[in-house]
Amino acid sequence: MNDVVIKRFDELDTKELYEILETRMKVFVVEQQCPYQDIDAQDDGGVHLYIKKDGKIAAYLRIIDKEPPEKLMQIGRVLTIERGTGLGAEILKAGISEAASLGAEKIYIEAQVYAKGFYEREGFVVSGDEFLEDDIPHVPMMLELGSSRA
């Protein structure tokens, strides 16, 4: 088990923020050849989780509070640099746990279709129709947090 760093935006120092943004750009813009606006004005209200390996971010996600009255939070920007090592599941489980500790009753994600099975393994279920975001097929998914998961 790796150490997971959990920080709100205003707790990140400039080097951490720079590395987070650089890593997200590497994965979502360069690797996926998808020019889009990654810095989207939601980072400052989010909780950021990451795992470092060899001094660099190897896995990351952010949690955004979507609807406080319904206690709905969104997990997004889920990434790993080292695929097939279990880091993805580790950071996702940490994100689910953190969202639950923040009071979430439901967690929403917009999963890239190829990763649907990854999220299903953690209990997410498809909650709507497939859609294109930045020309990449996505599917909305929801996880209901109950007493058995909390």
Side-chain angles (χ1 to χ4, degrees):
M1 194 78 149
N2 295 288
D3 289 334
V4 178
V5 177
I6 303 171
K7 293 186 175 184
R8 292 202 169 275
F9 182 80
D10 58 359
E11 297 171 327
L12 296 169
D13 66 35
T14 54
K15 288 184 183 201
E16 285 172 308
L17 179 59
Y18 182 89
E19 188 176 358
I20 286 168
L21 297 175
E22 179 183 42
T23 304
R24 288 183 356 195
M25 175 82 68
K26 177 181 178 180
V27 172
F28 296 121
V29 177
V30 177
E31 271 185 27
Q32 294 183 356
Q33 299 178 356
C34 181
Y36 82 108
Q37 186 65 43
D38 177 56
I39 301 172
D40 61 1
Q42 295 189 61
D43 285 313
D44 63 346
V47 177
H48 303 265
L49 287 75
Y50 64 85
I51 296 170
K52 281 196 161 192
K53 294 206 88 167
D54 301 322
K56 295 186 181 209
I57 291 177
Y60 168 85
L61 65 75
R62 74 174 179 192
I63 302 168
I64 299 167
D65 194 5
K66 296 301 279 184
E67 297 176 23
E70 294 183 63
K71 299 188 178 183
L72 173 65
M73 294 187 186
Q74 181 174 0
I75 289 179
R77 302 294 199 264
V78 181
L79 67 83
T80 59
I81 298 299
E82 302 173 8
R83 299 191 179 73
T85 63
L87 283 176
E90 192 173 335
I91 197 72
L92 183 59
K93 286 175 186 175
I96 292 167
S97 178
E98 181 64 15
S101 75
L102 293 169
E105 293 176 4
K106 296 186 252 178
I107 300 173
Y108 172 76
I109 58 168
E110 294 178 346
Q112 291 185 10
V113 169
Y114 82 88
K116 185 173 77 97
F118 167 75
Y119 294 105
E120 287 173 332
R121 285 190 291 278
E122 296 305 322
F124 284 88
V125 295
V126 174
S127 61
D129 295 331
E130 186 175 310
F131 62 95
L132 283 178
E133 185 167 322
D134 300 311
D135 291 325
I136 297 173
H138 284 71
V139 64
M141 300 183 82
M142 191 75 70
L143 174 66
E144 301 272 343
L145 297 174
S147 57
S148 62
R149 290 197 68 90

